[in-house]
Amino acid sequence: MRKDFDPETVKADGRSAAKGFLFDPTAPGPWRGSLAGETIGSPVTVLAYGNDTPGEGPPLHVHPYDETFVVFAGRARFFVGDQVIDATAGEAVLGPAGVPHRFVNLGPGRLQTIDIHHSDRWIQTDLA
C-alpha cells in the first residue's frame, strides 16, 4: 500500500468531477480529436493521434509548455531539438517547453499516441 502523502494535508478545491469528449474511435484521419483542459477544469489538454503510414506524422512545431507523448500502439521516432528518440507502445517521451519537436510512425502497422499538453488549452506554432 502506497502512502506518499498524508491525505489530511490536502484540501479539496471545490471542483466537481467532469467529463468531456476526446475522440471518435471510428473517425478517419490521423487527428482523432482533442479535449481542452479548460473545458473540464483541468490544467492539461489531451490530444489523440494515430496513423497507419510509416514515415507520416505531425509537422515540426513548438509549444510554450511541456508536452508528454504516450505511445499506446506501434512504434514512433521522435525528433525533439537535437535528440532522436525511438519509442514503442508503453513508453512516454517528453517534449520540453520551447523545444521544437515532431514524430513519425516507424511501422509496421498503426501508431497511436495520446499527447498531453501541460496547459489548459492547445497553443502551437508550426515551424515547417
Side-chain angles (χ1 to χ4, degrees):
M1 178 174 166
R2 291 183 64 160
K3 188 169 173 90
D4 296 332
F5 70 98
D6 180 356
E8 295 298 321
T9 65
V10 178
K11 302 299 177 215
D13 65 9
R15 291 180 298 154
S16 296
K19 175 176 91 167
F21 183 78
L22 176 58
F23 70 97
D24 176 354
T26 65
W31 290 107
R32 297 302 174 100
S34 65
L35 176 62
E38 62 190 353
T39 301
I40 59 171
S42 171
V44 299
T45 292
V46 181
L47 279 66
Y49 177 88
N51 79 59
D52 297 300
T53 307
E56 185 177 296
L60 184 68
H61 61 276
V62 66
H63 309 284
Y65 48 76
D66 290 347
E67 182 175 10
T68 301
F69 305 93
V70 181
V71 179
F72 275 86
R75 299 180 326 129
R77 176 161 291 151
F78 291 85
F79 302 88
V80 183
D82 293 335
Q83 293 184 280
V84 177
I85 302 168
D86 289 350
T88 61
E91 295 183 308
V93 174
L94 172 67
V99 177
H101 56 272
R102 67 183 183 92
F103 61 91
V104 296
N105 181 348
L106 281 179
R110 183 160 187 80
L111 169 65
Q112 187 68 54
T113 67
I114 294 293
D115 308 337
I116 303 164
H117 290 236
H118 297 243
S119 171
D120 66 349
R121 57 195 171 97
W122 184 3
I123 305 168
Q124 176 171 309
T125 296
D126 290 345
L127 301 173

